[in-house]
Amino acid sequence: MSTVKIPPVLRQSVGGEREVDVSGATVEEVLANLCDAHPAVGAQILTADGSLHAFVNVYVNGEDARLLQWTDTPVGETDTLVILPAMAGGAQ
Amino acid sequence: MRLPAPLADRLIAHAREEFPNECCGLVAGHGDTATRVLPATNAEGTPFMYVMEPREQMELMDAIDDAGEDLVAIYHSHTRSAAYPSATDVELAFFDEPLYVIVSLQDADAPVIRAFRIARSAPVGEQIAEEPVEIG
């Protein structure tokens, strides 16, 4: 089980927990299991086709997963993931 | 939202510092009362878009959380348009608790600050709700 840190914006979707333990060998598996267990999280971070929204960032042990192997990044028992929707927008 | 005048001035100053690009940052406080402004880096650095630098965003959110404060608002500037959420602002509004504050420099001599609650998954027409900003 890896540990997934839940920022305040997603906490209500996991019953108020700051961290949850989720199984999975890769970022993709951990996120899939997290969203299965807490569908409200999936509604916030996944697109209609079930893929991770382009403006949602994932960190593995503090490293940006996009700079690792993105959703194929291996995740071990002692690893910590942080999921963080971007703060973004614009006039156009 | 209650916004002390010095903090309103700080928001406008940040918008002017980054002009012609959009600025962005966070407003921390308690409940609906702002107590400090945390300017951030717009990783896009354009007049048309803001993306808060992700690592900075994480650090600022952690700092607010660790201090026992609330994230009262996420702010950004519109340099050439009104202080009203654009379609992009709504599409990318992941955060439903903090307000989205927009500082408009459309009239450079009379900046406007407005605040909105944005629900991106709500039906079209019901996504944007303006919240009053009490400056003083």
Side-chain angles (χ1 to χ4, degrees):
Chain A
M1 293 276 218
S2 54
T3 301
V4 180
K5 287 191 175 177
I6 308 294
V9 61
L10 298 176
R11 248 171 237 167
Q12 197 179 343
S13 301
V14 298
E17 299 294 326
R18 291 173 75 103
E19 296 180 355
V20 292
D21 291 330
V22 185
S23 60
T26 63
V27 167
E28 183 174 21
E29 288 180 15
V30 171
L31 293 181
N33 290 335
L34 175 68
C35 294
D36 279 349
H38 303 284
V41 173
Q44 285 178 275
I45 67 170
L46 302 179
T47 61
D49 69 4
S51 57
L52 190 62
H53 196 290
F55 281 83
V56 173
N57 298 305
V58 178
Y59 296 86
V60 179
N61 300 329
E63 297 292 325
D64 185 345
R66 283 191 172 85
L67 303 178
L68 302 171
Q69 297 168 57
W70 190 209
T71 53
D72 292 332
T73 304
V75 177
E77 293 280 313
T78 58
D79 290 338
T80 299
L81 272 70
V82 176
I83 303 172
L84 196 58
M87 290 176 177
Q92 285 190 342
Chain B
M1 164 187 196
R2 295 161 59 89
L3 183 65
L7 299 189
D9 291 345
R10 184 71 193 93
L11 294 180
I12 293 167
H14 189 203
R16 285 180 167 148
E17 285 161 19
E18 295 298 323
F19 185 89
N21 295 336
E22 293 192 7
C23 73
C24 62
L26 303 180
V27 179
H30 297 283
D32 67 349
T33 302
T35 54
R36 60 181 178 133
V37 169
L38 297 87
T41 304
N42 175 4
E44 285 292 304
T46 83
F48 312 112
M49 178 96 190
Y50 79 95
V51 176
M52 195 177 297
E53 202 286 312
R55 188 164 295 278
E56 211 175 312
Q57 175 192 329
M58 187 159 59
E59 289 168 358
L60 292 175
M61 289 177 75
D62 282 349
I64 291 170
D65 208 23
D66 291 346
E69 296 172 311
D70 299 320
L71 173 55
V72 177
I74 301 162
Y75 74 89
H76 73 284
S77 60
H78 283 179
T79 54
R80 292 183 177 81
S81 57
Y84 192 81
S86 67
T88 307
D89 288 333
V90 174
E91 189 185 332
L92 297 178
F94 289 98
F95 296 79
D96 48 13
E97 255 184 41
L99 295 171
Y100 282 86
V101 164
I102 301 176
V103 183
S104 172
L105 298 181
Q106 189 176 29
D107 180 345
D109 297 325
V112 175
I113 298 175
R114 292 169 74 184
F116 304 87
R117 211 167 283 288
I118 305 178
R120 63 194 279 266
S121 55
V124 174
E126 299 174 19
Q127 295 165 305
I128 301 169
E130 182 160 12
E131 295 282 337
V133 179
E134 292 175 29
I135 297 175

